[in-house]
Every structure is written in structure tokens, then in C-alpha cells.
Amino acid sequence: MRQVFTTGLLWFSAIGCGLMAGIYFAFSTFIMTAFGRLGQAAGIAAMNAINVDIVRSLFMPLFLGTTVAGAALVVMGSLRVSEPGAVSMIAGGGLYVIGMFVVTMVFNVPLNNALAAVQPSAPEAGAVWAAYLKDWTFWNHVRTVASVVGCALFVAALASSS
């Protein structure tokens, strides 16, 4: 029973990390660039609209569920560190929780909140928008890499435990 639960959690985490990686990859590779070309008022309005809608979407259960599952795999792997796949479970979960969740909460969310406080057409919004594009995208790159590598480590744990 324990192995079935662990395998299910690994599959859920691998798929969740993969989906999150795809979302972050899209933002890192073309969405933020396109928003930057829109001009400050339109770019800020578009990003603020996304930030309002994303917390009301299916993104949130996936975001939170994959984080909780990753943290659980760290604990489970730590309790049986000598078993096949345990180190990959610990590394994948730790990397994902820190590199995706913690980075989001410490960097991306405060940047989103600061952007939401700015009047898009105000003169000072230009400097805020320019800094936002640079800083938010950098931290999004970190989330992308953490999600991709977390996914790969969960797949490695699945492969080594079969």
C-alpha cells in the first residue's frame, strides 16, 4: 500500500511539475517579451488581469497541490533514504518547493502586488514596468528551471523504483 501511494504521489508530482514548467516556460520565452512590446499601460493592464484571474483558476489547485506533494515526497524520501529513488524524491521535492514555491512567494508575488498598486498610465509606471519585466522574468526563469528539474527527478525516482 505504501508503494502504491508513493508511486501515485510521484506521478502526480511529475505531471504537476511538468504542467507548471510549461506555464512558466511560456511566460519566460514569449509572453513577457510580448507584454514588453505592448507599452507600459497595456502591458501592466494585461499582466494585472492575468494576476487577478490566475488565482481564480485551476492553476491554484495545481500550484498548491504539487507543492504539498513535493514537500510530502521530501519527508517520505527522508524516512527511507536507502531505498531506490529516495534521493531523487528528496532532491526533486526540495528543489521544487524552494525553487518554485518559495521563489514565487518571496519574489514574484511581491512584484505582482507592487505592479497592481501602480496606475498603468502614470508617468512613474514606466520605471516600475521596466524593472518588473526584468526582475519578474528573472525569477520566473528560476521557477521554470526548478519545475523542469523537479519533474525530471520525480521521473527518475519512478524509474528507479520500478
Side-chain angles (χ1 to χ4, degrees), residues 89-109:
M89 286 171 39
I90 295 166
L95 178 65
Y96 184 76
V97 169
I98 293 167
M100 192 290 298
F101 183 78
V102 172
V103 164
T104 298
M105 301 317 293
V106 172
F107 298 105
N108 295 90
V109 168

Side-chain angles (χ1 to χ4, degrees), residues 62-126:
L62 179 67
F63 175 84
L64 295 171
T66 306
T67 301
V68 170
L73 287 168
V74 169
V75 172
M76 293 167 63
S78 297
L79 294 175
R80 49 187 165 181
V81 74
S82 62
E83 293 182 21
V87 172
S88 293
M89 286 171 39
I90 295 166
L95 178 65
Y96 184 76
V97 169
I98 293 167
M100 192 290 298
F101 183 78
V102 172
V103 164
T104 298
M105 301 317 293
V106 172
F107 298 105
N108 295 90
V109 168
L111 287 166
N112 290 344
N113 292 340
L115 189 68
V118 171
Q119 176 63 10
S121 59
E124 67 274 7

Side-chain angles (χ1 to χ4, degrees), residues 13-26:
S13 297
I15 293 167
C17 283
L19 289 168
M20 297 301 292
I23 292 166
Y24 297 142
F25 180 79

